[in-house]
Amino acid sequence: MAPSFIASTSPRVAMVVGSLIYIFFMITFLYPMTGLLYTASALLGFGAAILWTGQGALLARCSDSSNISRNSGIFWALLQCNMFFGNLFVYFAFRNKAHIDENTRLMVVIVLSAVGFAGVLFLIAVRRVPDNSEMGDTNANISRSAWGNARYALQSAGKLFITRDMMLLTLTFVYTGLELSFFSGIYGPSVGFTEKIHETPKEYVGIIGICIGIGGVTAGTVFGILGSKTARFGRNPIVITAYVIHLV
């Protein structure tokens, strides 16, 4: 539903709404309850969809074929910087703690939620960028109502989904989702509960996030910002290399 949501509102609205849902998910950890956590997690899936799609749409509107690789690399490198600052904060907050007490949990949730709200204010301030998606589609620039735009976007997304290339890419998207779930939701907590690693393994959760951020910023810089030099043999070798690293 993300394309329809963006078509009937705008990428900026989608990013703001998606970000607010992220913050709501974080706030639920102030008073953890099983039912609320599951509900917030389901909403988070919707929020993530419209946030990421909105960011992609805005990035495309601000780019053309000559600079899309550079702009994508800058975006990714800046995005991964959150892994440094957020996890550095978590590292010091969890340091020397065998158990995360209530005061520590409240402090972490409140601070990260406050940073999230500051980010939303920046998203609200993003200037409006006109849609440049006509690109040979004679039906794209027809004036429609908000409902008409939503329905047209859903139909266009459906037609795109059943193309050969997109069906093949779907296999890699499924793998990416599984891999993301592993390193963002399973790997860190697993280390945090493994006392054979360290007497207070909770602090290693932050270090893991920092290391992942280092990899993300490095890849975004090398293969994105410097893409004109590193992609001279095409993008297939880059994707295959990343896939092998993931498996390792």
Short mmCIF file of all heavy atoms in Angstrom, two decimals, residues 80-122:
data_model
loop_
_atom_site.label_atom_id
_atom_site.label_comp_id
_atom_site.label_asym_id
_atom_site.label_seq_id
_atom_site.Cartn_x
_atom_site.Cartn_y
_atom_site.Cartn_z
N GLN A 80 23.71 5.13 7.92
CA GLN A 80 24.46 4.20 8.76
C GLN A 80 25.20 4.90 9.89
O GLN A 80 25.63 4.24 10.85
CB GLN A 80 25.45 3.41 7.90
CG GLN A 80 24.79 2.45 6.93
CD GLN A 80 23.97 1.40 7.65
OE1 GLN A 80 24.46 0.71 8.53
NE2 GLN A 80 22.71 1.26 7.27
N CYS A 81 25.35 6.23 9.80
CA CYS A 81 26.00 6.97 10.89
C CYS A 81 25.21 6.83 12.19
O CYS A 81 25.78 6.95 13.28
CB CYS A 81 26.14 8.44 10.53
SG CYS A 81 27.49 8.78 9.36
N ASN A 82 23.89 6.59 12.08
CA ASN A 82 23.11 6.40 13.30
C ASN A 82 23.60 5.20 14.09
O ASN A 82 23.42 5.15 15.31
CB ASN A 82 21.62 6.26 12.95
CG ASN A 82 21.27 4.85 12.49
OD1 ASN A 82 21.04 3.97 13.30
ND2 ASN A 82 21.21 4.64 11.19
N MET A 83 24.21 4.24 13.37
CA MET A 83 24.73 3.07 14.06
C MET A 83 25.89 3.43 14.98
O MET A 83 26.12 2.77 16.00
CB MET A 83 25.17 2.02 13.04
CG MET A 83 24.09 1.55 12.09
SD MET A 83 22.79 0.62 12.93
CE MET A 83 23.62 -0.92 13.26
N PHE A 84 26.64 4.48 14.62
CA PHE A 84 27.73 4.94 15.49
C PHE A 84 27.19 5.58 16.76
O PHE A 84 27.46 5.14 17.87
CB PHE A 84 28.61 5.95 14.76
CG PHE A 84 29.43 5.37 13.66
CD1 PHE A 84 29.25 5.80 12.35
CD2 PHE A 84 30.39 4.41 13.90
CE1 PHE A 84 30.00 5.28 11.33
CE2 PHE A 84 31.16 3.87 12.88
CZ PHE A 84 30.96 4.31 11.59
N PHE A 85 26.39 6.64 16.57
CA PHE A 85 26.00 7.47 17.70
C PHE A 85 25.01 6.76 18.62
O PHE A 85 25.15 6.80 19.85
CB PHE A 85 25.42 8.78 17.18
CG PHE A 85 26.36 9.54 16.29
CD1 PHE A 85 26.12 9.67 14.93
CD2 PHE A 85 27.51 10.11 16.81
CE1 PHE A 85 27.00 10.36 14.13
CE2 PHE A 85 28.40 10.80 16.01
CZ PHE A 85 28.14 10.93 14.65
N GLY A 86 24.01 6.10 18.04
CA GLY A 86 23.03 5.40 18.86
C GLY A 86 23.64 4.27 19.65
O GLY A 86 23.40 4.13 20.86
N ASN A 87 24.47 3.47 18.98
CA ASN A 87 25.07 2.33 19.67
C ASN A 87 26.19 2.73 20.61
O ASN A 87 26.45 2.03 21.60
CB ASN A 87 25.57 1.31 18.64
CG ASN A 87 24.45 0.50 18.04
OD1 ASN A 87 23.85 -0.33 18.69
ND2 ASN A 87 24.15 0.78 16.77
N LEU A 88 26.87 3.85 20.33
CA LEU A 88 27.87 4.35 21.27
C LEU A 88 27.19 4.75 22.58
O LEU A 88 27.69 4.47 23.68
CB LEU A 88 28.61 5.54 20.66
CG LEU A 88 29.85 6.03 21.40
CD1 LEU A 88 30.91 4.93 21.43
CD2 LEU A 88 30.41 7.28 20.74
N PHE A 89 26.03 5.39 22.45
CA PHE A 89 25.25 5.75 23.63
C PHE A 89 24.80 4.50 24.38
O PHE A 89 24.90 4.42 25.62
CB PHE A 89 24.05 6.59 23.20
CG PHE A 89 23.01 6.78 24.26
CD1 PHE A 89 23.30 7.49 25.42
CD2 PHE A 89 21.74 6.24 24.11
CE1 PHE A 89 22.34 7.66 26.41
CE2 PHE A 89 20.78 6.40 25.09
CZ PHE A 89 21.08 7.12 26.24
N VAL A 90 24.31 3.50 23.64
CA VAL A 90 23.85 2.26 24.27
C VAL A 90 25.02 1.54 24.94
O VAL A 90 24.87 0.95 26.02
CB VAL A 90 23.18 1.35 23.21
CG1 VAL A 90 22.96 -0.05 23.78
CG2 VAL A 90 21.86 1.95 22.77
N TYR A 91 26.20 1.58 24.32
CA TYR A 91 27.37 0.91 24.90
C TYR A 91 27.68 1.46 26.28
O TYR A 91 27.88 0.70 27.24
CB TYR A 91 28.57 1.08 23.98
CG TYR A 91 29.88 0.65 24.61
CD1 TYR A 91 30.18 -0.70 24.80
CD2 TYR A 91 30.81 1.60 25.03
CE1 TYR A 91 31.37 -1.09 25.39
CE2 TYR A 91 32.00 1.22 25.61
CZ TYR A 91 32.28 -0.12 25.80
OH TYR A 91 33.46 -0.50 26.39
N PHE A 92 27.72 2.78 26.40
CA PHE A 92 28.05 3.38 27.70
C PHE A 92 26.89 3.21 28.69
O PHE A 92 27.12 3.08 29.90
CB PHE A 92 28.39 4.86 27.54
CG PHE A 92 29.76 5.09 26.95
CD1 PHE A 92 29.91 5.54 25.65
CD2 PHE A 92 30.90 4.83 27.70
CE1 PHE A 92 31.17 5.74 25.11
CE2 PHE A 92 32.17 5.04 27.16
CZ PHE A 92 32.30 5.49 25.86
N ALA A 93 25.65 3.20 28.19
CA ALA A 93 24.51 3.02 29.07
C ALA A 93 24.45 1.60 29.65
O ALA A 93 24.06 1.40 30.80
CB ALA A 93 23.21 3.33 28.34
N PHE A 94 24.85 0.61 28.84
CA PHE A 94 24.79 -0.79 29.27
C PHE A 94 26.12 -1.30 29.85
O PHE A 94 26.21 -2.45 30.23
CB PHE A 94 24.41 -1.69 28.10
CG PHE A 94 22.98 -1.52 27.64
CD1 PHE A 94 22.53 -2.20 26.52
CD2 PHE A 94 22.11 -0.67 28.31
CE1 PHE A 94 21.21 -2.05 26.09
CE2 PHE A 94 20.81 -0.51 27.88
CZ PHE A 94 20.35 -1.21 26.78
N ARG A 95 27.11 -0.45 29.90
CA ARG A 95 28.45 -0.90 30.31
C ARG A 95 28.45 -1.42 31.74
O ARG A 95 27.87 -0.82 32.65
CB ARG A 95 29.44 0.25 30.18
CG ARG A 95 30.90 -0.19 30.23
CD ARG A 95 31.83 0.97 29.93
NE ARG A 95 33.21 0.54 29.87
CZ ARG A 95 34.23 1.37 29.65
NH1 ARG A 95 34.00 2.67 29.49
NH2 ARG A 95 35.47 0.90 29.62
N ASN A 96 29.10 -2.58 31.91
CA ASN A 96 29.24 -3.23 33.21
C ASN A 96 27.90 -3.60 33.85
O ASN A 96 27.80 -3.69 35.08
CB ASN A 96 30.05 -2.33 34.18
CG ASN A 96 31.45 -2.07 33.69
OD1 ASN A 96 32.08 -2.94 33.10
ND2 ASN A 96 31.94 -0.85 33.92
N LYS A 97 26.89 -3.82 33.02
CA LYS A 97 25.58 -4.19 33.54
C LYS A 97 25.25 -5.62 33.11
O LYS A 97 25.13 -5.89 31.92
CB LYS A 97 24.49 -3.23 33.06
CG LYS A 97 24.58 -1.83 33.67
CD LYS A 97 23.43 -0.97 33.20
CE LYS A 97 23.51 0.42 33.81
NZ LYS A 97 23.27 0.41 35.27
N ALA A 98 25.08 -6.50 34.08
CA ALA A 98 24.66 -7.87 33.77
C ALA A 98 23.16 -7.92 33.53
O ALA A 98 22.65 -8.82 32.85
CB ALA A 98 25.04 -8.81 34.91
N HIS A 99 22.45 -6.94 34.08
CA HIS A 99 21.00 -6.86 33.90
C HIS A 99 20.63 -5.41 33.63
O HIS A 99 21.12 -4.50 34.29
CB HIS A 99 20.27 -7.36 35.15
CG HIS A 99 18.78 -7.19 35.09
ND1 HIS A 99 17.98 -7.98 34.28
CD2 HIS A 99 17.95 -6.32 35.72
CE1 HIS A 99 16.73 -7.60 34.43
NE2 HIS A 99 16.68 -6.60 35.30
N ILE A 100 19.76 -5.18 32.65
CA ILE A 100 19.33 -3.82 32.31
C ILE A 100 18.21 -3.42 33.26
O ILE A 100 17.07 -3.90 33.14
CB ILE A 100 18.85 -3.74 30.85
CG1 ILE A 100 19.98 -4.17 29.91
CG2 ILE A 100 18.40 -2.32 30.51
CD1 ILE A 100 19.55 -4.26 28.46
N ASP A 101 18.52 -2.55 34.20
CA ASP A 101 17.53 -2.15 35.20
C ASP A 101 16.54 -1.15 34.59
O ASP A 101 16.73 -0.64 33.49
CB ASP A 101 18.22 -1.52 36.41
CG ASP A 101 19.10 -0.34 36.02
OD1 ASP A 101 18.59 0.79 35.97
OD2 ASP A 101 20.30 -0.56 35.73
N GLU A 102 15.49 -0.88 35.33
CA GLU A 102 14.40 -0.05 34.81
C GLU A 102 14.88 1.37 34.52
O GLU A 102 14.51 1.96 33.49
CB GLU A 102 13.25 0.00 35.82
CG GLU A 102 12.06 0.81 35.33
CD GLU A 102 10.90 0.80 36.31
OE1 GLU A 102 11.06 0.20 37.40
OE2 GLU A 102 9.85 1.39 36.01
N ASN A 103 15.69 1.95 35.37
CA ASN A 103 16.16 3.32 35.15
C ASN A 103 16.98 3.44 33.88
O ASN A 103 16.85 4.40 33.12
CB ASN A 103 16.98 3.80 36.35
CG ASN A 103 16.12 4.03 37.60
OD1 ASN A 103 14.93 4.29 37.49
ND2 ASN A 103 16.73 3.91 38.77
N THR A 104 17.84 2.45 33.64
CA THR A 104 18.65 2.45 32.43
C THR A 104 17.77 2.33 31.19
O THR A 104 17.95 3.04 30.20
CB THR A 104 19.67 1.29 32.45
OG1 THR A 104 20.52 1.44 33.59
CG2 THR A 104 20.52 1.30 31.20
N ARG A 105 16.79 1.43 31.26
CA ARG A 105 15.87 1.24 30.13
C ARG A 105 15.10 2.52 29.84
O ARG A 105 14.98 2.94 28.68
CB ARG A 105 14.92 0.09 30.44
CG ARG A 105 13.80 -0.07 29.41
CD ARG A 105 13.01 -1.34 29.65
NE ARG A 105 12.48 -1.41 31.00
CZ ARG A 105 11.36 -0.80 31.40
NH1 ARG A 105 10.68 -0.05 30.55
NH2 ARG A 105 10.93 -0.93 32.65
N LEU A 106 14.58 3.16 30.87
CA LEU A 106 13.82 4.39 30.68
C LEU A 106 14.69 5.48 30.07
O LEU A 106 14.26 6.22 29.18
CB LEU A 106 13.22 4.86 32.01
CG LEU A 106 12.14 3.96 32.63
CD1 LEU A 106 11.71 4.51 33.98
CD2 LEU A 106 10.95 3.85 31.68
N MET A 107 15.93 5.60 30.56
CA MET A 107 16.82 6.62 30.03
C MET A 107 17.11 6.41 28.55
O MET A 107 17.04 7.35 27.74
CB MET A 107 18.14 6.63 30.81
CG MET A 107 19.15 7.66 30.29
SD MET A 107 20.80 7.47 31.01
CE MET A 107 21.30 5.88 30.35
N VAL A 108 17.40 5.17 28.17
CA VAL A 108 17.72 4.86 26.78
C VAL A 108 16.51 5.14 25.88
O VAL A 108 16.63 5.78 24.83
CB VAL A 108 18.18 3.39 26.63
CG1 VAL A 108 18.26 3.00 25.15
CG2 VAL A 108 19.53 3.20 27.30
N VAL A 109 15.34 4.68 26.30
CA VAL A 109 14.14 4.88 25.48
C VAL A 109 13.81 6.36 25.34
O VAL A 109 13.49 6.84 24.24
CB VAL A 109 12.95 4.11 26.08
CG1 VAL A 109 11.66 4.45 25.34
CG2 VAL A 109 13.20 2.61 26.03
N ILE A 110 13.89 7.12 26.42
CA ILE A 110 13.55 8.54 26.38
C ILE A 110 14.53 9.31 25.50
O ILE A 110 14.13 10.14 24.68
CB ILE A 110 13.52 9.13 27.81
CG1 ILE A 110 12.33 8.55 28.58
CG2 ILE A 110 13.44 10.64 27.77
CD1 ILE A 110 12.32 8.93 30.05
N VAL A 111 15.82 9.04 25.65
CA VAL A 111 16.82 9.76 24.85
C VAL A 111 16.65 9.45 23.36
O VAL A 111 16.63 10.36 22.52
CB VAL A 111 18.24 9.40 25.32
CG1 VAL A 111 19.28 9.94 24.34
CG2 VAL A 111 18.49 9.96 26.71
N LEU A 112 16.51 8.16 23.01
CA LEU A 112 16.39 7.80 21.60
C LEU A 112 15.07 8.32 21.01
O LEU A 112 15.02 8.72 19.85
CB LEU A 112 16.48 6.28 21.44
CG LEU A 112 17.82 5.65 21.79
CD1 LEU A 112 17.80 4.15 21.53
CD2 LEU A 112 18.96 6.30 21.01
N SER A 113 14.00 8.33 21.81
CA SER A 113 12.73 8.88 21.33
C SER A 113 12.84 10.38 21.09
O SER A 113 12.30 10.91 20.12
CB SER A 113 11.61 8.59 22.34
OG SER A 113 11.41 7.20 22.50
N ALA A 114 13.56 11.08 21.98
CA ALA A 114 13.75 12.52 21.81
C ALA A 114 14.54 12.82 20.54
O ALA A 114 14.21 13.75 19.78
CB ALA A 114 14.46 13.10 23.03
N VAL A 115 15.58 12.02 20.28
CA VAL A 115 16.34 12.19 19.04
C VAL A 115 15.45 11.92 17.84
O VAL A 115 15.52 12.60 16.81
CB VAL A 115 17.56 11.24 19.04
CG1 VAL A 115 18.27 11.29 17.69
CG2 VAL A 115 18.53 11.62 20.15
N GLY A 116 14.56 10.91 17.97
CA GLY A 116 13.63 10.61 16.89
C GLY A 116 12.71 11.78 16.60
O GLY A 116 12.45 12.12 15.44
N PHE A 117 12.18 12.41 17.65
CA PHE A 117 11.32 13.57 17.46
C PHE A 117 12.07 14.71 16.77
O PHE A 117 11.51 15.42 15.92
CB PHE A 117 10.77 14.05 18.80
CG PHE A 117 9.52 13.34 19.22
CD1 PHE A 117 9.52 12.56 20.37
CD2 PHE A 117 8.34 13.47 18.49
CE1 PHE A 117 8.36 11.89 20.76
CE2 PHE A 117 7.19 12.81 18.88
CZ PHE A 117 7.20 12.02 20.02
N ALA A 118 13.34 14.91 17.13
CA ALA A 118 14.14 15.93 16.46
C ALA A 118 14.29 15.62 14.98
O ALA A 118 14.22 16.52 14.12
CB ALA A 118 15.52 16.04 17.12
N GLY A 119 14.45 14.33 14.66
CA GLY A 119 14.54 13.93 13.26
C GLY A 119 13.26 14.21 12.51
O GLY A 119 13.28 14.64 11.34
N VAL A 120 12.11 14.01 13.16
CA VAL A 120 10.83 14.29 12.51
C VAL A 120 10.72 15.77 12.17
O VAL A 120 10.21 16.15 11.11
CB VAL A 120 9.66 13.86 13.42
CG1 VAL A 120 8.32 14.33 12.85
CG2 VAL A 120 9.64 12.34 13.56
N LEU A 121 11.20 16.63 13.06
CA LEU A 121 11.16 18.07 12.79
C LEU A 121 11.97 18.41 11.54
O LEU A 121 11.57 19.26 10.73
CB LEU A 121 11.69 18.85 13.99
CG LEU A 121 10.87 18.74 15.29
CD1 LEU A 121 11.53 19.53 16.41
CD2 LEU A 121 9.44 19.24 15.05
N PHE A 122 13.10 17.76 11.37
CA PHE A 122 13.89 17.97 10.16
C PHE A 122 13.15 17.49 8.91
O PHE A 122 13.19 18.13 7.86
CB PHE A 122 15.24 17.25 10.27
CG PHE A 122 16.27 17.99 11.06
CD1 PHE A 122 16.56 17.62 12.36
CD2 PHE A 122 16.94 19.07 10.51
CE1 PHE A 122 17.50 18.31 13.10
CE2 PHE A 122 17.90 19.77 11.23
CZ PHE A 122 18.18 19.38 12.54
#
